[in-house]
Amino acid sequence: MNVILLGAPGSGKGTMAQKLTNDLQIPQISTGDIFRKNLKEETPLGLQVRDIMARGDLVPDEITIEIVKNRLSEADCRNGYILDGFPRSIVQAEALDGFQQISAAVNIDVDEDAIVKRLSGRRFCPDCNGTFHVSTLGDGNICPACGGKLIIRADDSEETVRERLRVYYKTTFPLIEYYKKQGKLITVDGNGTVDEVYARITAAIGK
């Protein structure tokens, strides 16, 4: 099963992708994770996208499309995959249609104010790549998974979050209609606990 997860930044795509990956035994493909890995390692790609991501802007289509195309050609994607964060534009969706067949596009629908609260409260661990929320951390800034020091990613500041949402509604939101016309769109309520949202998704895709 080749599944795309759609939704605004902070709608829970990454969390849902990880759970689907564990249950379906297919890889999660996250362009954000690929970019952040390159940022941490200061690769040529990382240096190229560093300033773009810090501003909350989208990485140019030609870079993102090529990265995803190469990743989906790897052996572990033969039995399916979960796309988290791609496509983010009609141009990317049309390019994806040129080299892959998508089973379903799941749109996780969350209220905008809830998204701002979620993202501005996120904390990231550079050591283990874990993401946590202040609501579960108390007063500490220590990673509960590995003991590393948690940080606020530049793209999780409230100002950048609102800019990311503006870009999302302008560029990515049209994908909902795009996949609706293809008969592949499934919209689920993204409000509630992780388990509640996940149950809605698995029921919707028949898993």
Side-chain angles (χ1 to χ4, degrees), residues 72-196:
L72 296 184
S73 69
E74 296 181 14
D76 64 337
C77 294
R78 289 175 183 169
N79 295 324
Y81 50 80
I82 307 295
L83 274 173
D84 164 24
F86 183 93
R88 288 190 174 179
S89 67
I90 297 297
V91 170
Q92 291 182 4
E94 291 174 341
L96 179 63
D97 284 344
F99 57 86
Q100 289 287 318
Q101 290 293 318
I102 299 304
S103 308
V106 179
N107 175 42
I108 304 173
D109 188 26
V110 182
D111 178 75
E112 183 173 330
D113 287 339
I115 285 174
V116 173
K117 184 176 181 180
R118 282 185 187 182
L119 287 185
S120 60
R122 288 203 308 195
R123 300 296 181 266
F124 176 69
C125 178
D127 294 333
C128 70
N129 292 325
T131 300
F132 309 91
H133 197 273
V134 292
S135 60
T136 64
L137 291 171
D139 297 328
N141 64 344
I142 301 301
C143 175
C146 74
K149 185 176 181 180
L150 298 175
I151 63 171
I152 301 175
R153 287 188 348 213
D155 53 348
D156 282 342
S157 69
E158 183 169 347
E159 180 181 355
T160 303
V161 167
R162 294 198 179 276
E163 174 61 15
R164 291 170 68 192
L165 287 170
R166 186 194 68 78
V167 172
Y168 164 76
Y169 285 116
K170 178 181 178 182
T171 308
T172 308
F173 190 74
L175 289 174
I176 293 173
E177 185 63 25
Y178 180 86
Y179 286 110
K180 183 178 181 180
K181 288 180 178 178
Q182 291 188 1
K184 297 178 179 178
L185 181 71
I186 300 170
T187 295
V188 299
D189 181 1
N191 297 291
T193 67
V194 169
D195 288 343
E196 288 169 345

Side-chain angles (χ1 to χ4, degrees), residues 5 11-19 28 30 84 108 122:
L5 292 184
S11 59
K13 297 187 298 297
T15 299
M16 295 303 129
Q18 289 173 5
K19 290 179 72 65
Q28 170 193 3
S30 167
D84 164 24
I108 304 173
R122 288 203 308 195

